[in-house]
Amino acid sequence: MIYAVAVDASSGAQEAFEYATQCFYKPGDSLVLISIADLVDHPGLKPYYLQVEQELNKQTRDKAKAILETYISTAASLGIPCRCIELTGHPGEQVCNVVDQLIKERAVTLLVGRRGIYESERQLLGSVSDFVVKNAACTVVVVR
């Protein structure tokens, strides 16, 4: 069994990781950490703003990498080997794309956290957990 956990800086992601490692993972299973950096992309910006956008995207990538390294370290301290997938783009879509690839290897259970955003924000901006529940081709566990 592959347990895939979508990780970011949220407490919901931390809870999903803990749930996966404490309640699901057994020796012989695979733990896959998925980190998606949601980058800023505004085509046609003037050079100054393009430079600002590039700096913001670099900071976003660096932060995502640092967060992922924390999860890797924690998994290692628990004696759990893991593999990591780092991508950029829309988090919900990319997580579903990763799941599609993982399913070709073995059965997958995806664990995601829930940020607890207000209903009005969820309707306006959408929710990654809502998106993957509706679109992932595997069992999805939403931890809150």
Side-chain angles (χ1 to χ4, degrees):
M1 176 67 80
I2 297 174
Y3 294 104
V5 183
V7 297
D8 60 20
S10 70
S11 61
Q14 177 66 36
E15 291 168 7
F17 174 81
E18 290 171 2
Y19 200 73
T21 57
Q22 294 170 9
C23 300
F24 282 95
Y25 180 83
K26 295 180 285 317
D29 291 337
S30 293
L31 179 65
V32 178
L33 304 177
I34 305 170
S35 174
I36 312 297
D38 192 4
L39 304 180
V40 177
D41 183 22
H42 298 323
L45 288 178
K46 294 182 180 181
Y48 169 77
Y49 295 110
L50 184 58
Q51 186 177 6
V52 171
E53 180 181 274
Q54 290 170 344
E55 181 57 32
L56 285 172
N57 286 340
K58 180 184 180 317
Q59 290 173 8
T60 300
R61 280 191 195 95
D62 291 348
K63 182 178 177 184
K65 188 169 212 55
I67 291 165
L68 188 57
E69 288 171 3
T70 301
Y71 283 106
I72 294 167
S73 175
T74 302
S77 72
L78 295 170
I80 300 174
C82 64
R83 89 179 134 146
C84 305
I85 299 173
E86 297 177 77
L87 298 170
T88 60
H90 180 272
E93 291 174 5
Q94 291 292 56
V95 167
C96 289
N97 291 339
V98 169
V99 165
D100 289 344
Q101 295 304 309
L102 293 174
I103 286 174
K104 294 175 183 176
E105 298 174 29
R106 276 197 281 179
V108 176
T109 296
L110 173 65
L111 291 94
V112 295
R114 187 145 192 179
R115 290 194 170 185
I117 60 176
Y118 295 109
E119 185 62 31
S120 58
E121 290 176 286
R122 184 179 295 109
Q123 289 175 355
L124 182 64
L125 303 173
S127 159
V128 172
S129 58
D130 288 345
F131 185 91
V132 298
V133 164
K134 293 175 185 169
N135 295 287
C138 68
T139 300
V140 179
V141 176
V142 180
V143 179
R144 46 181 188 157

